[in-house]
Amino acid sequence: MIRKQDAKAVELVKNIIGSIKTSEEGGIPLGNLTSQLFSNIYLDNLDQFIKRKLRVKYYIRYNDDFMILDTDRRILEGLVPTISSFLKEKLKLELHPRKVTIRNWNQGVDFLGYVIFPYHTILRTKTKQRILRKIKRNHRQLKIDPLYQKSFNQSLRSYLGILHHCRGNNIRNCIAAIVAK
């Protein structure tokens, strides 16, 4: 039952969700600011469950990606079915079977486009390839349309910003070579 004072907010949310069609199933496009807002609201129950009920000390979530760190592999293995059941029963969600991994920290943890090691971070190979492919495509577009310069510069700064958070000198050099052509 929706409280009368919440009806306008619920109607606004319905209008936002209903106004965007990305596929037959609907949904909100990735990158849309409302996606981030809604994921934080909806997954707050997951955050509370993991932090308060399961008492997990090292839990990190960004939108629908999360990781849990612990020194005991058995604890992590035990958390998977517990969290899976919670998601299914309370939020009608499922863990992606190919994305649930338990790794040793020194092997590197793949999270949000980076591979995080104990003392350094690198860009995930697929992310690197996607960035270089897009820069090449954008650079070709720039040669055809000089008015594209502002957009090209913005995307280039964005990609260089991503590299700011990891060891990315080789990738920066590849980008410099593409731009110099």
Side-chain angles (χ1 to χ4, degrees):
M1 184 70 159
I2 298 172
R3 298 183 312 188
K4 186 176 180 180
Q5 61 266 39
D6 296 334
K8 284 186 178 182
V10 170
E11 190 61 32
L12 175 63
V13 169
K14 284 181 181 178
N15 287 338
I16 291 169
I17 293 172
S19 71
I20 303 167
K21 253 311 196 202
T22 58
S23 67
E24 289 301 313
E25 294 85 32
I28 299 170
L30 291 173
N32 186 308
L33 292 176
T34 53
S35 298
Q36 296 167 22
L37 173 65
F38 291 149
S39 71
N40 281 332
I41 292 168
Y42 195 70
L43 293 175
D44 180 65
N45 287 331
L46 174 66
D47 299 340
Q48 300 306 318
F49 176 72
I50 290 175
K51 292 299 284 179
R52 295 192 185 350
K53 178 98 173 163
L54 300 179
R55 300 216 179 274
V56 170
K57 187 172 181 179
Y58 300 107
Y59 165 71
I60 302 163
R61 182 179 63 79
Y62 180 79
N63 289 332
D64 63 344
D65 293 318
F66 68 91
M67 73 174 164
I68 297 172
L69 306 171
D70 201 290
T71 56
D72 189 334
R73 182 179 190 89
R74 289 171 296 162
I75 289 173
L76 295 171
E77 289 170 347
L79 288 173
V80 174
T82 304
I83 293 169
S84 183
S85 292
F86 175 84
L87 286 169
K88 193 172 215 158
E89 292 170 17
K90 301 291 184 188
L91 300 177
K92 309 297 184 233
L93 297 172
E94 293 182 18
L95 292 174
H96 192 293
R98 291 189 316 240
K99 293 187 177 182
V100 176
T101 59
I102 298 176
R103 300 180 56 99
N104 289 326
W105 185 242
N106 59 357
Q107 292 176 299
V109 177
D110 188 333
F111 190 63
L112 301 178
Y114 298 97
V115 181
I116 305 162
F117 292 92
Y119 302 105
H120 71 282
T121 302
I122 61 173
L123 202 59
R124 181 193 301 146
T125 301
K126 282 174 63 174
T127 305
K128 172 188 169 183
Q129 292 169 344
R130 185 173 58 247
I131 286 173
L132 293 175
R133 188 172 53 249
K134 286 183 178 181
I135 290 174
K136 286 176 186 174
R137 184 187 68 219
N138 290 347
H139 193 256
R140 284 192 302 270
Q141 178 66 29
L142 177 61
K143 287 182 175 186
I144 296 167
D145 181 6
L147 297 176
Y148 192 66
Q149 185 72 52
K150 183 178 178 182
S151 177
F152 178 77
N153 290 343
Q154 288 172 337
S155 65
L156 188 60
R157 281 194 300 272
S158 175
Y159 294 132
L160 292 173
I162 289 168
L163 296 174
H164 181 71
H165 301 286
C166 65
R167 288 186 178 174
N169 288 336
N170 291 340
I171 303 167
R172 279 186 202 88
N173 293 338
C174 290
I175 291 171
I178 293 167
V179 173
K181 291 180 184 179

